[in-house]
Amino acid sequence: PSGAGQPVGSIPSGVVPNANLRPSRVEEAEFGFEAKLFENRIGLDLTYYNKITNDQILASQISDASGFTSSVINVGRSKNSGIEVLLTGTPILSNSFKWDVNLNFARNTTEVLDLGAGVNEIISGGNASNNSLRQTLGRPLNGLYATAYLRDATGNQIFDSSSGRPLRAPQALYIGTTIPRYLGGIFNSFNYKGVSLSALVDFKLGHYLGSQTNFNLYRHGLHQSTLVGRQDNLVTGVGVNQQGSPNTIRTPLQTYYETVNTSSIREEFAYNAGFWKLRQLSMGYDFTKILPSRLFVKGLRLSAVANNVAILKKWVPNIDPEQANNVSDNQEGLEQTGLPTSRSIGFNLNVKF
């Protein structure tokens, strides 16, 4: 179709059209419990859920020899189950001071239950030659797989007997799911005679990512790990050679560290993506009580707010674990040199008439 001589729609040239694509269907059972105690000073909200998704729609990688690179398909059945907990409380309440606290926690587990007759695994994102996202029967959804170093039966890394360069394993290494298993936060709010202070700390844990930023830093000699060998411009890999003897070959620095690129090895750059963040800080004052009673303004409050304040704990170097340059579910967990996350500071003015 076209309008004013310009196309208004198209089919991606690399994707096989699927006339038999069906809408996904969800079956969910949920149980909840809610309680308020001590004149609502303490509250508890607990929920358990078990969700089965049928005919989930994903892009599956196919052979380039077909003339296409992927096909959008229905992939059988998957399961999400877990618990969500919300605990609220007011530890201190007086005429001049109030302290409120909210704690929320969620645990979610996933599993691929069915991918169709005779299918045990599909690649749904990334590329099998470096980092890929795969749906694997019996494993959690969105499994991160990375091309890996070659190792012997006892786990020793194997190096080329002539060059001393790291060797690549024939099979990709399963790292873990890119979907957070644990999520939650702690929100505290204090109010003393109109002066308020609040802080939110949140977390995501139990998931992994593949970092293209760290890969690029490493292969260009800008990563901290590449400092080893700088003194002599030679590196001796720790492990064994192809005959099983300790590796003793001293490899030129650039030759050694560029191997992750020339052999396309990504194991080095797969990380625990968990984090704890000070997500928000807010401080304000309520001017309402000092306003003249006859003034047309009935309420006035001014607050300073900072968002994305600080990363309290993370396991991936050089980047924010939430940093990404795509929003596709099929790419979740594949960090691709996106722009750094930013901190914002501003003011809120709330006026009531």
Side-chain angles (χ1 to χ4, degrees):
S2 63
Q6 299 296 321
V8 295
S10 65
I11 297 174
S13 59
V15 180
V16 179
N18 185 355
N20 298 316
L21 199 64
R22 303 180 300 276
S24 59
R25 296 173 290 112
V26 176
E27 304 169 8
E28 183 171 5
E30 185 173 307
F31 305 93
F33 172 81
E34 183 178 1
K36 298 286 186 179
L37 304 171
F38 306 111
E39 298 181 346
N40 294 331
R41 292 280 294 275
I42 297 178
L44 174 64
D45 193 339
L46 177 65
T47 302
Y48 168 80
Y49 62 91
N50 187 68
K51 180 170 67 176
I52 303 295
T53 302
N54 294 280
D55 295 331
Q56 193 165 5
I57 299 173
L58 290 174
S60 175
Q61 185 177 4
I62 60 176
S63 171
D64 294 351
S66 66
F68 299 91
T69 58
S70 65
S71 175
V72 180
I73 61 172
N74 297 104
V75 294
R77 304 174 71 230
S78 63
K79 180 176 75 171
N80 281 266
S81 62
I83 60 170
E84 298 174 345
V85 181
L86 174 63
L87 179 64
T88 61
T90 306
I92 299 177
L93 179 61
S94 67
N95 292 331
S96 59
F97 182 72
K98 184 181 181 182
W99 173 23
D100 290 318
V101 59
N102 294 343
L103 296 91
N104 67 85
F105 171 82
R107 180 182 184 273
N108 179 66
T109 59
T110 66
E111 183 182 356
V112 179
L113 301 177
D114 180 27
L115 291 172
V119 180
N120 292 319
E121 182 177 275
I122 65 169
I123 297 177
S124 57
N127 194 297
S129 64
N130 41 70
N131 282 328
S132 59
L133 295 179
R134 308 187 189 190
Q135 314 304 329
T136 307
L137 193 64
R139 279 186 167 167
L141 286 163
N142 273 30
L144 173 64
Y145 287 75
T147 47
Y149 291 115
L150 182 65
R151 301 180 188 275
D152 64 18
T154 59
N156 295 311
Q157 190 173 336
I158 301 175
F159 297 86
D160 188 280
S161 296
S162 58
S163 68
R165 298 177 68 163
L167 295 174
R168 173 177 158 175
Q171 300 295 329
L173 178 68
Y174 174 68
I175 305 298
T177 178
T178 64
I179 301 173
R181 181 169 294 182
Y182 306 101
L183 305 94
I186 305 170
F187 178 77
N188 281 281
S189 176
F190 307 92
N191 192 300
Y192 178 70
K193 295 183 178 180
V195 178
S196 62
L197 174 67
S198 65
L200 171 63
V201 173
D202 65 4
F203 64 86
K204 291 182 180 179
L205 302 169
H207 61 306
Y208 298 86
L209 64 79
S211 174
Q212 186 72 12
T213 295
N214 279 283
F215 167 77
N216 286 333
L217 291 174
Y218 190 96
R219 70 190 181 99
H220 290 304
L222 301 174
H223 197 281
Q224 185 178 7
S225 297
T226 64
L227 292 175
V228 177
R230 293 290 176 96
Q231 184 174 355
D232 301 322
N233 205 33
L234 294 168
V235 181
T236 303
V238 179
V240 299
N241 59 27
Q242 290 166 289
Q243 287 72 44
S245 301
N247 177 53
T248 58
I249 297 179
R250 307 181 75 193
T251 307
L253 194 78
Q254 180 172 332
T255 302
Y256 184 91
Y257 288 121
E258 71 181 11
T259 304
V260 296
N261 184 43
T262 56
S263 296
S264 190
I265 300 172
R266 295 297 195 276
E267 174 190 347
E268 186 93 26
F269 318 103
Y271 302 97
N272 179 345
F275 65 83
W276 288 80
K277 282 189 176 184
L278 177 55
R279 184 70 67 176
Q280 186 180 83
L281 274 177
S282 175
M283 186 173 184
Y285 184 73
D286 191 343
F287 294 91
T288 303
K289 62 182 179 182
I290 64 175
L291 296 176
S293 59
R294 296 183 179 180
L295 190 67
F296 67 96
V297 175
K298 303 304 179 183
L300 180 64
R301 179 180 180 82
L302 179 65
S303 300
V305 181
N307 292 298
N308 207 28
V309 181
I311 301 175
L312 303 178
K313 176 65 177 177
K314 67 185 179 81
W315 289 264
V316 54
N318 302 314
I319 64 169
D320 184 333
E322 292 186 298
Q323 179 177 316
N325 72 336
N326 60 71
V327 294
S328 170
D329 289 342
N330 291 338
Q331 302 295 322
E332 181 181 359
L334 301 180
E335 185 268 325
Q336 299 285 340
T337 63
L339 293 175
T341 53
S342 60
R343 180 185 300 115
S344 65
I345 301 175
F347 295 91
N348 288 336
L349 179 64
N350 185 279
V351 182
K352 294 182 180 180
F353 300 98

